[in-house]
């Protein structure tokens, strides 16, 4: 599931923050702040995306770089927060 | 004020050329026009009559007929200089400040500029030496551009006059564009126009048959950080500041026409208006701009200040959509791409002043550079503290205090704020330490550059070039002074004074005057210890102390709210204009060749769907749109289907 989450987030980042620039080498662990991919408004856009697409209600305490500053961190955060689908 | 143009060299029909050059800048001087032709040189002038209404026509020659001047600006100490020259036996034929420059040049040659207190750019044709001398004021209030073509040297107050010269055409300079998308402004003498340069502030130039020589005649200088302070007593420093500021305002009230004032509601324009109101026997006229967005509007403070001073106040409302309507005109007058829309309301404001029948306004511009008012100075101080105290618990909370007026930051966690301001953090001895986050954030907009443009720029780094332009002793100055120098020497003339100051005012034939940029005040403030300017995180401390009796407490204690205007939001919505769609259409962007078509289309869609409020998206949107308009206006390229239809 994490791989599917990661690809969905990657697509969002490329479309929304890199404006379709697929040539950008978006490494899983690269900091989005240090690489100027995301600014202060971008964080809020990312939060809205996660809440909307994954049905997660994010608390203020969740919105920290430790959870959201790289593709790997975002994916892991979503995977941990997502409600497991049970039969 | 006014505008001028001219040449040195041999051309076929100098008069016709000067007529067309001066016609291109007629907005700078709607009152009179004049042309002077010599065998090897010519000068053209358009006049905004302010001093010596009846006898100050230009170009003006001296009694011998050998010296002729074309002059844009004002010499505020011309009365004192004229008295001194008269005492030496000089006889004056006019009441203008222009003639004072001619006499001074006759006495001292090019060194005359060192005695001038004013905002000026001028050209003197010296027939004795067969030499053209050009000069520009210390802080860069008045512009002066030049180019050479076919063996002739041309100059003018605005580039659009130079583009009248046959053979001189507009082509964008990729390096200048990179500088704008990094530093907000080109590094002078470079301009956005390839092969067209500007004379740097505080420089003079001589042009003769041997070539062109340029040199500075004044430099903004700060003391070494380990040098004993010149001022140790705050009370006496405040007293001296008040005296200097009062005199700077007094001599800027000199005019043969009424002088008004801009009143933004902030500290600086309120101080200037208060001083001016006390010096004029008439009721002072004040002018301001209001916004319909609470985030940008300061009308409550403007009205409070106007009421306290009893001024006759007029305001113009800048509503959503007004910025978009005037933006093509704004770019025609700024003559450069810009990454913020802030000049647009000032364009409207100068129109209001013109409608009110005034030609001259005082403004508070410059105080933030001179007395350390900008947030970037506080931010650098906090970042330095964090760099020295990485384990401090208060570190994240300090950043929240910095920008209380930015809604986007209010919602951020302290951890994110610390990360953002840490982003791009430089070693503490980095010469650009104070400006690194801004440079890095702005440079992120270059994501939209096309492959071709990136290939042309190769490894060019605007920040490196900026470092190469710093004075040798820069590294020995206090960090606050380093930051002040970067703002004062580069951003002030390159963006604030040109895009928001001279060009927006002169678009409507209005002269702005800047008491805070009086060079005596600038030199005094440079010598003040940093803690008298930025005390803790209180900006412009000494200025507040020196003027606290002038203002209502609510104004005097106001925390700096930088002048800003709505950005991409102005261009979207129901009133979206055809020209925006045209300029950002795939065809237009492809034709311009400067930006990635797909990326621009996505940005445009994003801004239309949900007006961007982040710095990068806003700056990129305004930067790209203004560059496309620049191309259309000056090269005819990048018009796009919507506009063409």
């Amino acid at each position: 599931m994490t791989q599917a989450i990661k690809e969905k987030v990657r697509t969002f980042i490329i479309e929304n923050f890199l404006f379709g620039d697929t040539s950008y080498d978006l490494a899983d662990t690269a900091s989005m702040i240090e690489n100027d991919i995301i600014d202060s408004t971008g964080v809020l856009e990312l939060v809205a995306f996660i809440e909307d697409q994954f049905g997660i209600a994010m608390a203020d305490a969740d919105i920290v770089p430790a959870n959201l500053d790289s593709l790997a961190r975002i994916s892991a955060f979503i995977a941990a927060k997502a409600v497991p689908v049970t039969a | 004020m006014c505008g001028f143009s001219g040449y040195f060299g041999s051309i076929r029909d100098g008069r016709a050329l000067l007529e067309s050059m001066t016609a291109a800048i007629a907005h700078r001087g709607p009152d009179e026009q004049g042309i002077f032709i010599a065998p090897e040189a010519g000068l053209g002038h358009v006049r905004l009559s302010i001093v010596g209404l009846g006898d100050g026509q230009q170009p003006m020659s001296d009694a011998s007929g050998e010296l002729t001047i074309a002059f844009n600006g004002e010499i505020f100490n011309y009365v004192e200089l004229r008295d001194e020259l008269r005492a030496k036996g000089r006889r004056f034929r006019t009441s203008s400040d222009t003639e004072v420059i001619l006499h001074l040049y006759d006495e001292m040659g090019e060194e005359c500029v060192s005695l001038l207190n004013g905002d000026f750019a001028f050209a003197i044709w010296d027939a004795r030496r067969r030499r053209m001398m050009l000069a520009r004021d210390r802080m860069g209030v008045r512009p002066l551009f030049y180019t050479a073509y076919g063996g002739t040297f041309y100059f003018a107050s605005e580039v659009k006059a130079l583009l009248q010269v046959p053979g001189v055409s507009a082509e964008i300079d990729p390096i200048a564009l990179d500088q704008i998308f990094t530093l907000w402004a080109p590094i002078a003498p470079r301009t956005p126009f390839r092969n067209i340069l500007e004379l740097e502030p505080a420089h003079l130039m001589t042009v003769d048959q041997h070539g062109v020589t340029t040199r500075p005649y004044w430099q903004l200088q700060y003391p070494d950080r380990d040098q004993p302070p010149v001022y140790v007593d705050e009370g006496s420093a405040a007293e001296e500041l008040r005296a200097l500021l009062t005199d700077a305002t007094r001599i800027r009230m000199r005019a043969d026409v009424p002088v008004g004032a801009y009143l933004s509601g902030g500290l600086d324009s309120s101080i200037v208006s208060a001083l001016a109101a006390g010096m004029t026997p008439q009721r002072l006229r004040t002018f301001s701009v209001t916004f319909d967005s609470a985030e940008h509007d300061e009308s409550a403070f403007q009205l409070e200040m106007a009421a306290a001073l009893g001024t006759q106040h007029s305001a113009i409302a800048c509503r959503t959509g007004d910025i978009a309507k005037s933006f093509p005109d704004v770019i025609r007058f700024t003559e450069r791409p810009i990454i913020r829309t802030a000049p647009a309301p000032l364009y409207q404001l100068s129109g209001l002043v013109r409608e009110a029948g005034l030609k001259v306004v005082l403004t508070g511009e410059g105080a933030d550079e001179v007395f350390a008012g900008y947030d970037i100075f506080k931010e650098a101080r906090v970042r330095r503290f964090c760099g020295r105290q990485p384990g401090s618990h208060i570190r994240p909370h300090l950043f929240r205090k910095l920008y209380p007026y930015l809604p986007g930051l209010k919602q951020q966690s302290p951890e994110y704020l610390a990360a953002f301001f840490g982003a791009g953090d430089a070693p503490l001895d980095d010469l650009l330490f104070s400006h690194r986050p801004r440079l890095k954030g702005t440079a992120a907009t270059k994501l939209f550059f096309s492959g071709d443009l990136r290939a042309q720029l190769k490894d060019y780094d605007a920040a490196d070039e900026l470092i190469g332009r710093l004075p040798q002793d820069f590294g020995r100055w206090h960090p606050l002074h380093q930051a002040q120098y970067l703002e004062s020497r580069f951003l002030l003339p390159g963006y604030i004074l040109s895009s928001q100051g001279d060009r927006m005012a002169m678009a409507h034939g209005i002269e702005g005057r800047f008491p805070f940029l009086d060079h005596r005040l600038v030199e005094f403030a440079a010598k003040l210890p940093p803690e008298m300017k930025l005390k803790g995180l209180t900006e412009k401390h000494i200025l507040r102390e020196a003027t606290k009796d002038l203002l209502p407490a609510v104004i005097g204690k106001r925390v700096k709210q930088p002048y800003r205007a709505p950005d991409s939001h102005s261009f979207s919505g129901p009133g979206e204009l055809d020209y925006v769609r045209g300029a950002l259409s795939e065809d237009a962007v492809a034709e311009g060749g400067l930006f990635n078509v797909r990326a621009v289309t996505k940005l445009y869609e994003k801004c239309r769907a949900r007006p961007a409020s982040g710095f990068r998206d806003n700056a990129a949107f305004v930067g790209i749109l203004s560059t496309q308009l620049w191309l259309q206006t000056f090269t005819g390229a990048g018009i796009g289907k919507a506009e063409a239809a």
Side-chain angles (χ1 to χ4, degrees):
Chain A
M1 186 178 75
T2 310
Q3 190 59 30
I5 292 171
K6 192 185 288 177
E7 287 316 307
K8 200 170 180 179
V9 175
R10 184 193 298 278
T11 301
F12 172 75
I13 291 169
I14 289 173
E15 293 297 304
N16 199 62
F17 298 134
L18 295 171
F19 298 92
D21 183 358
T22 49
S23 65
Y24 190 95
D25 185 15
L26 185 61
D28 284 4
T29 55
S31 162
M32 294 208 292
I33 294 176
E34 284 177 20
N35 289 290
D36 299 315
I37 296 170
I38 197 165
D39 63 10
S40 59
T41 307
V43 176
L44 304 178
E45 291 174 27
L46 182 60
V47 168
F49 165 76
I50 292 170
E51 292 189 329
D52 186 47
Q53 294 295 312
F54 297 97
I56 297 170
M58 292 187 69
D60 286 352
D62 294 330
I63 306 171
V64 290
N67 289 335
L68 303 176
D69 193 35
S70 70
L71 198 49
R73 286 180 179 187
I74 299 166
S75 306
F77 172 78
I78 294 170
K81 284 275 184 178
V83 179
V85 179
T86 52
Chain B
M1 268 315 285
C2 324
F4 64 89
S5 58
Y7 62 85
F8 173 78
S10 173
I11 62 170
R12 210 168 37 197
D13 189 351
R15 179 168 293 277
L17 175 63
L18 287 171
E19 280 172 358
S20 101
M21 289 175 84
T22 51
I25 52 172
H27 51 276
R28 298 185 69 91
D31 297 335
E32 286 175 323
Q33 296 178 20
I35 284 174
F36 165 84
I37 302 281
E40 325 169 66
L43 292 170
H45 190 264
V46 288
R47 184 173 185 222
L48 183 67
S49 312
I50 290 170
V51 172
L53 298 182
D55 57 12
Q57 289 81 7
Q58 297 185 46
M60 180 184 286
S61 298
D62 71 346
S64 73
E66 293 178 319
L67 301 177
T68 304
I69 185 171
F71 164 45
N72 164 209
E74 301 292 342
I75 306 303
F76 301 117
N77 64 337
Y78 79 102
V79 175
E80 292 78 9
L81 291 172
R82 191 174 56 197
D83 289 346
E84 289 169 22
L85 287 161
R86 275 189 178 135
K88 288 182 181 175
R90 294 254 162 196
R91 298 180 65 180
F92 284 80
R93 297 176 296 157
T94 77
S95 56
S96 72
D97 52 345
T98 311
E99 193 182 0
V100 172
I101 308 176
L102 272 180
H103 280 286
L104 268 183
Y105 177 85
D106 198 22
E107 287 259 326
M108 306 171 65
E110 59 198 50
E111 294 305 321
C112 68
V113 286
S114 63
L115 294 185
L116 303 178
N117 182 340
D119 304 335
F120 57 84
F122 63 78
I124 294 178
W125 167 241
D126 184 338
R128 295 171 213 156
R129 296 179 180 86
R130 296 171 61 203
R131 182 179 81 174
M132 189 72 79
M133 175 205 168
L134 306 174
R136 192 173 173 205
D137 61 65
R138 293 169 182 83
M139 300 304 286
V141 175
R142 300 300 161 212
L144 183 46
F145 298 93
Y146 62 92
T147 193
Y149 186 80
T152 298
F153 181 88
Y154 300 92
F155 51 90
S157 297
E158 293 185 21
V159 174
K160 48 181 69 73
L162 296 176
L163 296 177
Q164 302 301 311
V165 177
V168 174
S169 59
E171 194 182 333
I172 202 148
D173 180 339
I175 298 281
L177 196 64
D178 189 271
Q179 291 173 349
I180 291 169
F181 274 71
T182 309
L183 314 170
W184 298 26
I187 303 174
R190 196 181 290 273
T191 77
F193 296 84
R194 197 195 291 267
N195 298 325
I196 294 178
L197 304 175
E198 70 173 313
L199 186 62
E200 292 179 61
H203 277 61
L204 58 84
M205 174 182 267
T206 53
V207 190
D208 61 19
Q209 57 186 337
H210 304 296
V212 178
T213 308
T214 308
R215 69 175 175 87
Y217 64 86
W218 181 86
Q219 283 174 333
L220 178 56
Q221 202 73 33
Y222 293 90
D224 287 0
R225 76 177 92 184
D226 51 5
Q227 208 171 303
V230 177
Y231 295 92
V232 287
D233 177 57
E234 193 175 287
S236 57
E239 207 172 297
E240 188 170 341
L241 192 169
R242 175 68 171 262
L244 276 169
L245 185 56
T246 303
D247 197 58
T249 307
R250 180 184 68 83
I251 61 175
R252 278 163 183 75
M253 298 286 286
R254 286 175 169 165
D256 297 334
V257 294
V259 176
Y262 282 166
L263 189 55
S264 72
L267 181 72
D268 314 327
S269 65
S270 296
I271 292 171
V272 168
S273 295
L275 287 169
M279 292 174 189
T280 176
Q282 297 85 26
R283 202 172 162 206
L284 183 71
R285 300 240 12 206
T286 50
F287 301 89
S288 63
V289 60
T290 66
F291 294 96
D292 52 10
S293 59
E295 185 187 339
H296 302 97
D297 187 58
E298 298 184 75
S299 54
F301 295 105
Q302 293 160 3
L303 293 175
E304 171 137 7
M305 195 63 215
L309 295 178
T311 67
Q312 184 183 346
H313 188 66
S314 308
I316 189 163
C318 182
R319 294 174 301 270
T320 305
D322 287 345
I323 287 174
K325 280 181 204 152
S326 61
F327 203 60
D329 283 335
V330 167
I331 299 305
R332 186 158 58 87
F333 286 108
T334 62
E335 300 185 327
R336 60 187 57 190
I338 49 178
I339 61 163
R340 304 194 101 166
T341 59
L346 293 168
Y347 173 75
Q348 290 176 242
L349 185 58
S350 67
L352 174 69
V353 176
R354 191 75 197 176
E355 280 171 22
L358 267 71
K359 297 179 182 177
V360 186
V361 283
L362 301 173
T363 96
E365 204 69 77
D368 290 319
E369 289 81 359
V370 174
F371 292 105
Y374 285 127
D375 292 325
I376 201 167
F377 304 133
K378 290 191 264 187
E379 182 190 300
R381 177 163 284 183
V382 170
R383 286 173 50 238
R384 277 188 188 280
F385 168 80
C386 294
R388 289 193 306 268
Q389 308 283 341
S392 167
H393 295 304
I394 65 165
R395 172 186 161 130
H397 301 285
L398 284 170
F399 292 108
R400 200 187 275 274
K401 287 184 70 177
L402 284 174
Y403 301 99
Y405 51 86
L406 292 182
L409 292 187
K410 263 187 205 160
Q411 300 165 53
Q412 298 296 330
S413 67
E415 291 82 2
Y416 249 120
L417 287 174
F420 282 126
F421 291 110
D425 231 1
L428 293 174
D429 60 353
D430 177 6
L431 295 176
L432 301 183
F433 179 90
S434 57
H435 284 62
R436 282 292 179 195
R438 182 202 280 175
L439 300 188
K440 212 159 178 278
T442 308
T445 58
K446 290 192 281 190
L447 166 74
F448 296 90
F449 280 3
S450 67
D452 280 354
L453 180 56
R454 288 179 200 214
Q456 286 181 64
L457 292 167
K458 293 185 185 137
D459 297 326
Y460 175 75
D461 188 329
D464 282 350
E465 181 165 343
L466 185 63
I467 288 175
R469 298 292 302 274
L470 300 175
Q472 278 193 331
D473 48 359
F474 183 86
R476 299 199 302 269
W477 298 347
H478 185 280
L480 179 67
H481 289 159
Q482 293 179 342
Q484 282 188 274
Y485 182 87
L486 291 171
E487 286 291 300
S488 305
R489 179 66 183 81
F490 297 103
L491 201 73
L492 181 69
Y495 172 68
I496 304 277
L497 291 175
S498 53
S499 299
Q500 292 186 188
D502 175 87
R503 250 45 61 79
M504 289 306 100
M506 289 310 292
H508 288 112
I510 297 299
E511 173 176 301
R513 294 181 174 184
F514 309 82
F516 285 109
L517 293 179
D518 186 304
H519 72 275
R520 297 169 301 169
L521 199 61
V522 172
E523 289 169 351
F524 164 79
K527 289 182 203 145
L528 290 174
E531 58 273 17
M532 284 193 196
K533 290 178 270 193
L534 184 58
K535 187 167 187 175
L537 289 183
T538 302
E539 73 278 7
K540 294 182 286 200
H541 167 73
I542 189 80
L543 181 62
R544 292 174 198 269
E545 286 299 305
T547 58
K548 58 188 172 190
D549 62 311
L550 283 176
L551 312 173
V554 68
I555 302 283
K557 290 181 179 168
R558 264 195 90 186
V559 174
K560 168 78 184 167
Q561 177 172 336
Y563 164 65
R564 297 176 307 129
D567 286 308
S568 66
H569 177 61
S570 308
F571 298 94
S572 54
E576 186 186 36
L577 300 170
D578 279 351
Y579 83 82
V580 180
R581 278 196 295 275
L584 297 181
S585 69
E586 291 187 5
D587 288 348
V589 175
E591 189 190 348
L594 298 171
F595 301 105
N596 179 302
V597 175
R598 184 162 176 244
V600 170
T601 302
K602 282 186 172 295
L603 174 69
Y604 187 27
E605 284 168 0
K606 184 177 176 182
C607 292
R608 290 171 83 180
R610 189 169 59 79
S613 53
F615 173 80
R616 185 185 64 172
D617 290 356
N618 270 316
F621 184 92
V622 177
I624 293 164
L625 178 62
S626 64
T627 305
Q628 290 291 106
L629 291 173
W630 186 98
L631 289 172
Q632 285 178 22
T633 305
F634 296 103
T635 74
I639 291 172
K641 281 182 179 168
E643 180 73 15

